[in-house]
Amino acid sequence: MTEPDIGIYEKALPGNLDWDFRLGVAAEAGYRFVEISIDDDPVRLARLEWTPSQRRNLLRCTDKTGIPVNAIVLSAHRRYPLGSSSPETRTQANLILERTICLAGDIGAAIVQIAGYYVYYEAHSAGSRARFLEGLSKGCDIAASAGIVLGLETMDGEDVTSVTDALGIVDSIESESLKIYPDVGNLSANGHDVVEELRACRGRIAGIHLKDARPGEFRRVPFGEGSVPFVDAFRALDEIDYAGNYLVEMWNDDHEDAGAMIANARDWILERMTRAGLLESRGGPSNA
C-alpha cells in the first residue's frame, strides 16, 4: 500500500527565516509538504505583502528541497474576524482573505485553511454567524476564480467545533471551492466521537490535521499522551475512501533538535496507520 502524503506545520520547524534550511529539515524527516502560517504575528502577516521576487524565492526553495507548500493556515482572522460587528474590521478580514488566496496561487499552495471562528477576541452577537458566512461566501468566489480550495477547520471555542457545524456552513454556501478540514485533536478535545465525525464528511475533506489532545486541552499534547483514537480514526478514513493529505500539527517551542522531534512524530503516525491497515507492516514491535 502506498504511504499517504504526510506534511508538517511550519511552526514545528526551526524558527529562523531561511526557507532552504527549514524545508530541508522537513525533507530530512521524511515529510512531503509543509503548511505555512498567516497569523496576526507581524512577520507572518507581512507575507501578504511579499513582492513577486520574494514569492519566487519561496518557489525556488520548494523546487530545490522537493518540499512544496501545500496549504496556508490562515489564523489571522482571530484578530480580524469575518464575523466582526465592526465594518472596518470586516473590511480588513476580507482583504486578508483575498490576499491570502492570491499568495496561495503565487506559491503553489492548493488550499487556504479557514479557522472556524465567527469571532475570537470580541463578544459574539446575534449576527456573528451570518456575517462570517457572508465573508466566507465572498472568499469562495475569489478562491473559485483562482483555483484554490478553502478548507473550513473544526476548532476549539463555541463556533465550528464539529463536522456537523462545518457541514451546515458548507451546505449553506454551496460552493465547490469550500470543503471541510477536520482536526482530529480538536474534535476529540471538544468531546466528539472522532470516528463518527470523520465518517460524516465523506467526499468533502480538504485535508486532515493530526495532533493529540485531551478533553479541553487542544494544543501541545505529545502524541500518545492524549485521547485521540488515531488507529480507529485512520480506519474510518479508509472506510470513506479518503486519499488526501495528512498534516502533523506540532509546535517547536525552541526544541533543541526539531528534526528529530518531527521525524519521531512521523514514525509514530506511520505506526498507527500500519495498525489501522493503511500500510503494510514496517517491521519491529508495535507500540500501544
Side-chain angles (χ1 to χ4, degrees), residues 91-106:
T91 296
Q92 183 71 4
N94 289 330
L95 184 60
I96 286 171
L97 179 51
E98 181 177 359
R99 288 178 174 174
T100 302
I101 292 168
C102 178
L103 177 63
D106 287 347

Side-chain angles (χ1 to χ4, degrees), residues 57-70:
N57 180 64
L58 179 57
L59 284 174
R60 181 193 61 77
C61 295
T62 63
D63 287 343
K64 178 179 178 180
T65 60
I67 301 295
V69 173
N70 171 269

Side-chain angles (χ1 to χ4, degrees), residues 9 11-12 39 44 78 183 185-186 210-214 217-226 249-254 261:
Y9 187 37
K11 293 182 182 179
D39 59 19
R44 296 193 184 95
R78 286 184 297 194
D183 182 310
N186 290 344
L210 302 175
K211 69 180 179 190
D212 216 340
R214 304 184 186 98
E217 189 175 353
F218 294 85
R219 295 174 180 84
R220 293 177 170 81
V221 175
F223 284 109
E225 297 183 18
E249 186 174 19
M250 302 175 68
W251 290 265
N252 184 353
D253 294 332
D254 297 321
M261 178 185 72

Side-chain angles (χ1 to χ4, degrees), residues 3-140:
E3 183 180 303
D5 284 338
I6 302 176
I8 188 70
Y9 187 37
E10 171 193 351
K11 293 182 182 179
L13 299 173
N16 64 64
L17 300 179
D18 185 331
W19 284 106
D20 275 338
F21 177 74
R22 302 179 82 205
L23 296 177
V25 170
E28 283 188 23
Y31 288 93
R32 295 183 178 173
F33 65 91
V34 165
E35 286 190 0
I36 70 170
S37 171
I38 299 293
D39 59 19
D40 54 10
D41 176 271
V43 173
R44 296 193 184 95
L45 195 58
R47 292 170 178 172
L48 299 181
E49 309 298 332
W50 272 354
T51 65
S53 176
Q54 288 173 301
R55 297 173 191 224
R56 287 193 300 269
N57 180 64
L58 179 57
L59 284 174
R60 181 193 61 77
C61 295
T62 63
D63 287 343
K64 178 179 178 180
T65 60
I67 301 295
V69 173
N70 171 269
I72 297 176
V73 178
L74 177 56
S75 52
H77 281 153
R78 286 184 297 194
R79 180 69 62 186
Y80 307 100
L82 290 168
S84 176
S85 59
S86 163
E88 293 79 10
T89 299
R90 292 199 304 276
T91 296
Q92 183 71 4
N94 289 330
L95 184 60
I96 286 171
L97 179 51
E98 181 177 359
R99 288 178 174 174
T100 302
I101 292 168
C102 178
L103 177 63
D106 287 347
I107 65 174
I111 301 166
V112 171
Q113 181 195 297
I114 306 294
Y117 302 120
Y118 306 153
V119 293
Y120 191 78
Y121 293 113
E122 73 177 69
H124 285 71
S125 68
S128 297
R129 184 177 188 275
R131 291 188 291 266
F132 175 82
L133 263 64
E134 180 181 4
L136 184 57
S137 181
K138 291 177 181 176
C140 286

Side-chain angles (χ1 to χ4, degrees), residues 29 40 63 142 149 168 188 211 240 255 263:
D40 54 10
D63 287 343
I142 298 169
V149 169
S188 180
K211 69 180 179 190
I240 65 172
H255 195 278

Side-chain angles (χ1 to χ4, degrees), residues 8 12 81 89 123 133 153 157 160 170 178 200 208 211 241 260 269 272:
I8 188 70
T89 299
L133 263 64
E153 187 183 13
V160 183
V170 172
L178 181 61
I208 301 287
K211 69 180 179 190
D241 300 318
I269 290 296
R272 272 65 195 169

